[in-house]
Every structure is written in structure tokens, then in C-alpha cells.
């Protein structure tokens, strides 16, 4: 325990006050609801009024449970009976009234703040705790960091509350940067800081991490561990013992890490002790669960040579995610790579260590890189990586490591169209087929051809790619499923062309279907990338390093944002990687110019302009916890497949919409720009 000489002499139950809040039900959406925080708040209140002997009149209890409040497990004691009649819903009004009006007027030595529910980090990393009356127009919340700054000032009596402890069982993930997530600006201001006030903060997760909740048991894992440490302690014992309790909780969560049951838990942090000094880093940094294997110096020396001068390969995130699976561990809740270099990634894996069988996570990571390097033809590097894996396993006596999954097999048909240099009508055309290797399959041999001729040749090549014996066999199902994706490399003026609507044979009796229903169909414009090649490649690498998902990866652009400076804004950093056009103007009215100037590889818009009846984000992205689409949950790398799904859904909905005289959602006219700089056949001019 920490020496207790800093405790006020009169500190005891009568001079202890508390705000205790548990939020399970949110007005914003049923998807936000969660089970457990109200029960956790009741259990903390039971400890306060039980072993700690704090009078119920000193406790402000705020509850918004999922079920009828009377159905909660209220402890059978006079103090809890009093709180049962005095509690209030956990709305912003009641939170501010209790924390910023009622409690500051009390004469006390110690303030407890206990909160269980959702939590988000704002743009300045302040912790925002949504209240029960959070709505789509305004996510009402408690800004905990601002409130704690307020409590250090002379707006609270200068002789009151020298000790303040905030215990928060919530996530601390970044709030999505989307206009619909309107948290407003809750800054409570404050007066002059009063010297000598001590604050202790204990969070269930560190910045960017998710706090785990057990809905079946109705309990947060953090609260469970916290109450186990507080046990039967008195007020004075609990205050002086908080740093020691935090260390004990940290150690117990490390046991979960040893079993590979979660990564948020081992990254549990305590912000500062009562003296405002970090104490976890000194005592626990570098320690790990007993028996967990770590890379030795020989392994690190060899990796330094292997990774010297190597950029992160395209498969780095796949390798990172597979390492956890191979070691039998839970993948970190927050996606993306932990660093910008291979050694940084391995360092993160080594610090996390491994699973139940002691396999260091770095070993399957390197094994995955070796397999992909061999598949890409980099045989020398693949052999060196394989030798490192073999030597490390033998030296550290590691268990058998199963091989990584093979790369996904995909056939892509590339169609390149180029404007003739002499200005003739039609286009110079060439086609390639990429399967296990790249194969040049057809070209117009220097003669411009009409788009209809290109379509007819495309149908023939699809039949050949599917194993059909002749043009008449192109109606078979197999022919149209053999090629996964068709990529049209086109001049700028053809980006809005309706390639996905090209009719191709399908089934008996001459039936025809749109090309975009049978295959993933995308457009590309590599000839316009010369001036932004560096930004283009950097953004594509950034997207792959985050597994295709990131809150900043997608930007929804409206008409008001399409200005002469939009392209420079998009080029300012590696993010965003994808633009969704919610614009009424035709896409050539400045939007596509900005996308190409910004070096963005991906964009989606509605052919011909006009914002679809359903916003593109609603069409493409899965719903977040609030029931609304979350840009950070949209897998940009999966957009070709998702756009095809939306096109198919639009066909099914068309008949019903026509009968009801309703506008279509817009999925039938989507265009996807998909410029993968790692897959660029035919850069040489066809002229």
C-alpha cells in the first residue's frame, strides 16, 4: 500500500461523497444498448454504503437500465433502500446537476466518480461518456477530462475534496469522424487551479482500446476485478490502497493474456498514482506471463538483416492478423498494423508474446511473409525468412507451426482502352488475364475499334476463360463465374461510362444480363496518375497496413466540399483512401479531378450525377453500435464485391419500387474507381 500520510486526518465515511452512474439504455438507438453497467453501478454503490459505510445521502446514483429498475438486483439494506427511492435516470441534465452543482456544495474530503457504459475519445483525446438521452442530433455526454479539470479549481471550496478518484468501466475508442456523430462541445470551464488537490484515475482500457463486458453475467470485467480488490476495505484503506489495487488488477489481467483470451485486458492502464507519478511502467514494463516465449538476441540480430531496406509488404496486415490465429490468441480489437516498419510490427508482437503453447507471435508472422514472398517470386528472401523460422523454432524449442493459408485465387480480366493519337473515332484496345500468371490475350493491333466490338470480344474472352469450347458456349454458367473481376483501364472521359451495364449472354433462349451483376466491374484511370504517383502509392500502402478499415479511410464528399482546393486537401496525407460522392452534380464537375489530384485509389459515385435516394455510406457500410453506418467499419478493400452485391440488391428491389412509385436506392447506377498500383499491366501506350 501507499503510505497514508497524505490522507486528511478527518477522512471517513461522513466526509466521503460519490457520483455513481450506470448506463445501459440509450435513446440514440437500440444498437447502443448493453447489459451490465447498471448492475455494476449498483454493486459499487453497495460497497460504498456497506463496507465503506458512506451515508446514502452522500451518494448520487444515476441509473438507466435496460429492464424495469425494480427488476434489478437491489441489495437488501436500509442504505440501498434509500438509494432505490432517490436514484435518477442518467441523463445529461442529472449528471451535470449532480457533478457540477450539488456535490461541489458539499463539505467533504473525498469524491468518488464511478461510471459504467459507453466511452469515446474526442479530437483532443478527452474521454466522452454518452448519457442515456444521447440522440442522433446531439450525443449528450459527460466530458470527464473537462469535469476533472473543473474539480481542481476554486469553483469547488478550497478546503473541500483534496482527494478525487475517477473509476471508469468504458471503452476509450476514437469517436468516428462523421458529421452525424455530433457530440457538441462540452467544456465546463473553471476558475483558478487549487494547489494540492490530488486526482487518481483508473480506466478499464487504454486509449484506442475496447473494454470487455460480459452480457450473460451482466458485469464488466474491470468492475468485477475492482470490487474484488476493494472487498471489505474501509474508506481510508481503499484510498491508500488504490495504487496497490491497480497493480493487482493489472497482474490478474496478465493471466488472461497468458491464456490468449484478450489483448485489451493486458493493456489495462492506471494513469497516475496519488502523487501524479506513473508507477506501472517502472514495476511492470517488460514483464510477461510465466513461460511465454520471447525472441532471443540471435533472432533479433537476424531479423535486423532480413528486414533492412524492406518496406512493409502488401500482405503485412494479413500476416499480422494470422499470427494471432496461428498462436491461438484473440486478435487485437483495434485493427491495423502497430507501426510503419517490419521491425516495429515484430516488436509489438513480441511484447504481446504468444498463446497457450508458448509460440511467440513473431514466428508465424515471419512464416506468413515467407510464404507470400515465395508466391510473388522473391525466392531468395523467402528462403532466408524460412531459414529464420526454422532456426528460431529449433533454438527456442517451439511447437510445430502449421502453414499459412494459400493466397486467395482470383481471376482478373484487364481491358485497356486508349484514345488514338491521330484523333480517329473508336479506341485502341488490349486485354490481359491475370490468374496464377499474367497473360496477354487480345488486342486491336493498332486499329481503333468501337466499344461494341470491345464488348463482343470481352464476351468471347469470358467464354474462353471459363473453359467453354466456342462462342456458342458463352451462355453457360461456368463461363461467367470463371472471372472474378473485370477492370477497365480507360481515359478520363470514359470513367463514367456504363461498362457494368453491358449486356452479356446468360442462360438459355438468348437471355442477357448486365456485366456488373455477374462480375465485379471497376474502372481505372492510371494515365492520370503521373503527377501524383507518390501519393497514390503511399495511400494504397496505408490502406493495406490497416487491413482496409480505419475511421479516416473513407470520406463522404458533398456538393459544398467540391472546390478548387479539394484535391490538395485529399493529397495532404495518406488518408482518406476512398471518397464516397454524395453529390448532385455530374462526377466530372470537379469531383473526379480532385480524387485523381489527391492520389486517391478508390472512389464511388452515381453514374451521371445525382445523389442516390439512399446515401452511399448507408448502401455500402455495415451499421455501427448506434444503428447507423460507420465509416470506420467499411472494408474498402472489399468494395468491388460489396458494390456487386448492391447492384444485385437493386435489381431485386426495382420491381417493388416501380409498383410503389418510389425512387430506387441508387445501387443500380454505382460506379467504382479502383486503381490498384500493385496490379498495372500494359502501361506501355498501345499506339
Amino acid at each position: 500500500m501507499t503510505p497514508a500520510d497524505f490522507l486528511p486526518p478527518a477522512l471517513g465515511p461522513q466526509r466521503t461523497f460519490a457520483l455513481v452512474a450506470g448506463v445501459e439504455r440509450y435513446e440514440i438507438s437500440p444498437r447502443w444498448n448493453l447489459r451490465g453497467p447498471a448492475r455494476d453501478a449498483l454493486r459499487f454503490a453497495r460497497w460504498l454504503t456497506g463496507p465503506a459505510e458512506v451515508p446514502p445521502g452522500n451518494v448520487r446514483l444515476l441509473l438507466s437500465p435496460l429492464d424495469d429498475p425494480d427488476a434489478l438486483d437491489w441489495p437488501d439494506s436500509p442504505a440501498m433502500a434509500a438509494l432505490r427511492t432517490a436514484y435518477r435516470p442518467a441523463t445529461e441534465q442529472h449528471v451535470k446537476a449532480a457533478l457540477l452543482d450539488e456535490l461541489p456544495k458539499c463539505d467533504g474530503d473525498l469524491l468518488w466518480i464511478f461510471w459504467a457504459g459507453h466511452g469515446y475519445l474526442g479530437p483532443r483525446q478527452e474521454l466522452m461518456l454518452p448519457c442515456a438521452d444521447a440522440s442522433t442530433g446531439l450525443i449528450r455526454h459527460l466530458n470527464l477530462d473537462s469535469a476533472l479539470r473543473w474539480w481542481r479549481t476554486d469553483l469547488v471550496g478550497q478546503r473541500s475534496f483534496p482527494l478525487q478518484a475517477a473509476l471508469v468501466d468504458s471503452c476509450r475508442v476514437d469517436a468516428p469522424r462523421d458529421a452525424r456523430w455530433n457530440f457538441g462541445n462540452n467544456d465546463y470551464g473553471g476558475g483558478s487551479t487549487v494547489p494540492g488537490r490530488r486526482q487518481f484515475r483508473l480506466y478499464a482500457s487504454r486509449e484506442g482500446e475496447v473494454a470487455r463486458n460480459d452480457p450473460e453475467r451482466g458485469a464488466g470485467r474491470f468492475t468485477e476485478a475492482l470490487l474484488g480488490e476493494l472487498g471489505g476495505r474501509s474508506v481510508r484503506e481503499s484510498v491508500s490502497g488504490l495504487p496497490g489495487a491497480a497493480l493487482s488488477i493489472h497482474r490478474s489481467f496478465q493471466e488472461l493474456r497468458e491464456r490468449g483470451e484478450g489483448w485489451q485486458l493486458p493493456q489495462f492502464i492506471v494513469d497516475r498514482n496519488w502523487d501524479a507519478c506513473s508507477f506501472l511502467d517502472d514495476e511492470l514494463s517488460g514483464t510477461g506471463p510465466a513461460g511465454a516465449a520471447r525472441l532471443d538476441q540471435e533472432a533479433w540480430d537476424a531479423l535486423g538483416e532480413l528486414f533492412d531496406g524492406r518496406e512493409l509488404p502488401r500482405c503485412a496486415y494479413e500476416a499480422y492478423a494470422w499470427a494471432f490465429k496461428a498462436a491461438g490468441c484473440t486478435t487485437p480489437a483495434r485493427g491495423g498494423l502497430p507501426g510503419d516498419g517490419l521491425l516495429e510490427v515484430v516488436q509489438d508482437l513480441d511484447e504481446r508474446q504468444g498463446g497457450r503453447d508458448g509460440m511467440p507471435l513473431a514466428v508465424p508472422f515471419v512464416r506468413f511473409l515467407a510464404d507470400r514472398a515465395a508466391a510473388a517470386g522473391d525466392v531468395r528472401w523467402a528462403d532466408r525468412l524460412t531459414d529464420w523460422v526454422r532456426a528460431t523454432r529449433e533454438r527456442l524449442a517451439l511447437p510445430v507451426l502449421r502453414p499459412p493459408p494459400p493466397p486467395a485465387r482470383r481471376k482478373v480480366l484487364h481491358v485497356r482502352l486508349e484514345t488514338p493519337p491521330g484523333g480517329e473515332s473508336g479506341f485502341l484496345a488490349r486485354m490481359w488475364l491475370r490468374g496464377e500468371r499474367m497473360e496477354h490475350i487480345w488486342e486491336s493491333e493498332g486499329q481503333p475499334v468501337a466499344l461494341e466490338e470491345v464488348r463482343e470480344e470481352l464476351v468471347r474472352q469470358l467464354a474462353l476463360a471459363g473453359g467453354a469450347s466456342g462462342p456458342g458456349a458463352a451462355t453457360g454458367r461456368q463461363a461467367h463465374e470463371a472471372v472474378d473481376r473485370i477492370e477497365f483501364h480507360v481515359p478520363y472521359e470514359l470513367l463514367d461510362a456504363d461498362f457494368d451495364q453491358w449486356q452479356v449472354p446468360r442462360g438459355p433462349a438468348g437471355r442477357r444480363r448486365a456485366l456488373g451483376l455477374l462480375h465485379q466491374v471497376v474502372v481505372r484511370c492510371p494515365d492520370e496518375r503521373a503527377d501524383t504517383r507518390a501519393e497514390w502509392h503511399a495511400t494504397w500502402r496505408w490502406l493495406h497496413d490497416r487491413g482496409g478499415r480505419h475511421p479516416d479511410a473513407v470520406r463522404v464528399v458533398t456538393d459544398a466540399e467540391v472546390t478548387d482546393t479539394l484535391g490538395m486537401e485529399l493529397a495532404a496525407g495518406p488518408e482518406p483512401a476512398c471518397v464516397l460522392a454524395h453529390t448532385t452534380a455530374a462526377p466530372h464537375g470537379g469531383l473526379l479531378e480532385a480524387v485523381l489530384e489527391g492520389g486517391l485509389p478508390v472512389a464511388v459515385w452515381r453514374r451521371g450525377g445525382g445523389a442516390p435516394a439512399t446515401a452511399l455510406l448507408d448502401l455500402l457500410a455495415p451499421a455501427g453500435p448506434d444503428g447507423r453506418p460507420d465509416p470506420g467499419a467499411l472494408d474498402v478493400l472489399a468494395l468491388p464485391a460489396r458494390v456487386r452485391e448492391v447492384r444485385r440488391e437493386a435489381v431485386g428491389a426495382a420491381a417493388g419500387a416501380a409498383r410503389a412509385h418510389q425512387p430506387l436506392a441508387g445501387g443500380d447506377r454505382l460506379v467504382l474507381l479502383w486503381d490498384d498500383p500493385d496490379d498495372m499491366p500494359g502501361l506501355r501506350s498501345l499506339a
Side-chain angles (χ1 to χ4, degrees):
M1 287 191 179
T2 302
D5 54 2
F6 67 90
L7 296 180
L11 174 63
Q14 299 297 326
R15 298 188 57 79
T16 299
F17 293 80
L19 170 72
V20 180
V23 192
E24 295 182 343
R25 183 183 296 276
Y26 296 84
E27 288 183 11
I28 191 169
S29 168
R31 292 179 180 267
W32 274 52
N33 295 345
L34 67 165
R35 189 173 299 279
R39 179 174 181 266
D40 289 341
L42 279 182
R43 292 194 298 160
F44 189 80
R46 180 181 182 180
W47 171 78
L48 277 174
T49 58
E53 299 181 336
V54 176
N58 290 11
V59 179
R60 304 299 185 268
L61 179 61
L62 306 179
L63 295 176
S64 290
L66 272 178
D67 304 320
D68 185 336
D70 290 333
L72 293 174
D73 184 18
W74 290 89
D76 185 15
S77 70
M80 292 303 296
L83 288 177
R84 187 170 184 173
T85 61
Y87 86 92
R88 290 169 283 181
T91 63
E92 184 187 32
Q93 178 184 355
H94 290 149
V95 171
K96 292 173 68 175
L99 190 59
L100 303 178
D101 184 24
E102 300 166 15
L103 290 171
K105 296 176 182 177
C106 299
D107 183 16
D109 291 324
L110 170 64
L111 172 71
W112 291 97
I113 298 175
F114 176 89
W115 189 287
H118 286 303
Y120 293 97
L121 292 176
R124 297 187 300 275
Q125 299 301 292
E126 67 272 26
L127 181 55
M128 302 182 297
L129 303 171
C131 299
D133 54 344
S135 64
T136 53
L138 178 62
I139 302 178
R140 297 177 179 86
H141 66 280
L142 168 66
N143 184 329
L144 183 64
D145 290 271
S146 179
L148 290 174
R149 285 194 299 272
W150 189 94
W151 268 86
R152 288 198 298 267
T153 70
D154 57 6
L155 294 179
V156 180
Q158 293 196 19
R159 293 189 178 86
S160 299
F161 297 106
L163 301 176
Q164 303 161 14
L167 313 173
V168 184
D169 194 348
S170 78
C171 302
R172 298 173 74 202
V173 297
D174 293 334
R177 297 183 182 180
D178 188 299
R180 293 168 302 171
W181 284 68
N182 178 26
F183 279 91
N185 182 21
N186 279 5
D187 188 343
Y188 309 118
S192 301
T193 300
V194 175
R197 280 210 172 107
R198 301 169 185 251
Q199 288 185 342
F200 184 95
R201 307 187 192 191
L202 189 57
Y203 299 122
S205 57
R206 75 177 185 181
E207 292 180 354
E209 294 291 344
V210 177
R212 300 299 183 187
N213 183 59
D214 188 342
E216 293 184 4
R217 297 176 58 243
R221 291 185 177 179
F222 164 72
T223 302
E224 194 87 2
L226 173 65
L227 292 173
E229 289 295 325
L230 294 176
R233 293 182 180 181
S234 67
V235 166
R236 296 184 70 89
E237 291 172 340
S238 63
V239 173
S240 61
L242 264 182
L247 290 169
S248 178
I249 292 171
H250 190 99
R251 292 190 182 98
S252 67
F253 282 172
Q254 282 187 316
E255 295 177 3
L256 292 170
R257 175 179 182 171
E258 182 179 3
R259 299 194 295 269
E261 293 180 2
W263 296 112
Q264 170 260 329
L265 300 174
Q267 293 176 338
F268 180 101
I269 66 165
V270 177
D271 204 10
R272 296 290 186 267
N273 67 10
W274 285 114
D275 292 322
C277 297
S278 177
F279 57 88
L280 269 182
D281 293 341
D282 293 337
E283 186 166 340
L284 290 179
S285 61
T287 63
R294 303 292 295 268
L295 297 184
D296 57 10
Q297 189 59 51
E298 187 173 345
W300 279 112
D301 291 342
L303 283 179
E305 296 178 7
L306 281 170
F307 293 161
D308 183 36
R310 290 272 178 175
E311 292 185 348
L312 283 169
R314 181 172 176 171
C315 67
Y317 180 76
E318 290 180 83
Y320 182 75
W322 183 75
F324 291 92
K325 184 176 181 180
C329 299
T330 302
T331 307
R334 186 170 186 174
L337 290 174
D340 296 325
L342 284 169
L343 283 176
E344 291 178 71
V345 175
V346 172
Q347 182 178 0
D348 174 83
L349 292 170
D350 194 51
E351 289 174 354
R352 295 178 186 274
Q353 299 176 35
R356 299 175 180 86
D357 59 1
M359 174 65 72
L361 289 164
V363 175
F365 174 77
V366 176
R367 171 64 190 276
F368 193 101
L369 296 181
D371 276 36
R372 289 296 189 267
D378 193 350
V379 178
R380 184 172 180 274
W381 196 50
D383 289 344
R384 294 177 65 198
L385 292 171
T386 301
D387 290 342
W388 181 91
V389 171
R390 182 184 303 110
T392 303
R393 282 190 55 241
E394 292 175 355
R395 193 171 59 254
L396 301 182
L398 300 177
V400 174
L401 180 63
R402 67 178 185 272
R409 294 185 177 276
R410 178 180 292 119
K411 274 191 177 181
V412 179
L413 200 156
H414 295 266
V415 181
R416 179 172 171 82
L417 302 174
E418 188 176 312
T419 303
E424 304 94 330
S425 62
F427 298 91
L428 302 176
R430 180 179 291 176
M431 296 184 190
W432 295 263
L433 184 66
R434 177 187 289 281
E436 295 184 0
R437 59 187 178 87
M438 181 67 76
E439 178 185 2
H440 174 229
I441 57 177
W442 177 81
E443 69 174 293
S444 60
E445 298 179 348
Q447 298 299 317
V449 295
L451 288 180
E452 178 58 26
E453 294 179 62
V454 177
R455 186 196 67 80
E456 292 175 357
E457 183 60 34
L458 176 62
V459 170
R460 192 177 75 87
Q461 293 298 334
L462 288 174
L464 294 174
S469 58
T475 57
R477 175 175 181 176
Q478 180 187 6
H480 293 287
E481 291 188 344
V483 172
D484 299 282
R485 184 184 304 158
I486 302 173
E487 301 189 359
F488 288 87
H489 304 236
V490 299
Y492 177 76
E493 61 270 17
L494 284 184
L495 280 176
D496 206 37
D498 61 346
F499 298 114
D500 57 283
Q501 296 299 318
W502 279 6
Q503 297 296 304
V504 295
R506 174 73 166 183
R511 185 178 186 180
R512 303 172 82 80
R513 288 286 194 188
L515 189 67
L517 301 181
L518 306 179
H519 308 275
Q520 302 170 17
V521 175
V522 304
V523 293
R524 310 185 59 171
C525 197
D527 293 342
E528 300 291 340
R529 302 288 187 176
D531 296 333
T532 58
R533 187 170 300 276
E535 294 89 344
W536 178 32
H537 282 257
T539 297
W540 188 254
R541 286 196 303 271
W542 178 89
L543 182 65
H544 269 274
D545 291 349
R546 283 144 188 84
R549 292 185 177 92
H550 191 273
D552 298 330
V554 178
R555 176 169 172 179
V556 178
V557 174
T558 62
D559 285 307
E561 296 173 283
V562 182
T563 65
D564 289 341
T565 62
L566 178 59
M568 291 183 288
E569 292 176 22
L570 297 175
E575 74 284 352
C578 171
V579 155
L580 303 183
H582 193 71
T583 56
T584 56
H588 288 72
L591 176 66
L592 294 187
E593 292 96 326
V595 167
L596 294 171
E597 182 185 0
L600 269 67
V602 185
V604 184
W605 66 91
R606 192 169 187 248
R607 182 178 301 106
T614 302
L616 293 180
L617 192 61
D618 296 291
L619 283 173
L620 300 172
D626 61 346
R628 296 178 295 173
D630 178 6
L634 177 58
D635 186 351
V636 178
L637 296 177
L639 268 180
R642 177 57 188 151
V643 168
R644 180 175 63 176
E645 291 176 10
V646 171
R647 288 171 178 152
R648 290 176 173 177
E649 292 166 0
V651 170
R659 287 193 297 269
H661 304 289
Q662 295 175 349
L664 292 176
D668 57 324
R669 294 173 58 187
L670 294 190
V671 183
L672 172 61
L673 172 70
W674 180 265
D675 249 335
D676 176 355
D678 296 332
D679 190 7
M680 295 295 299
L683 287 179
R684 178 176 60 86
S685 172
L686 304 184

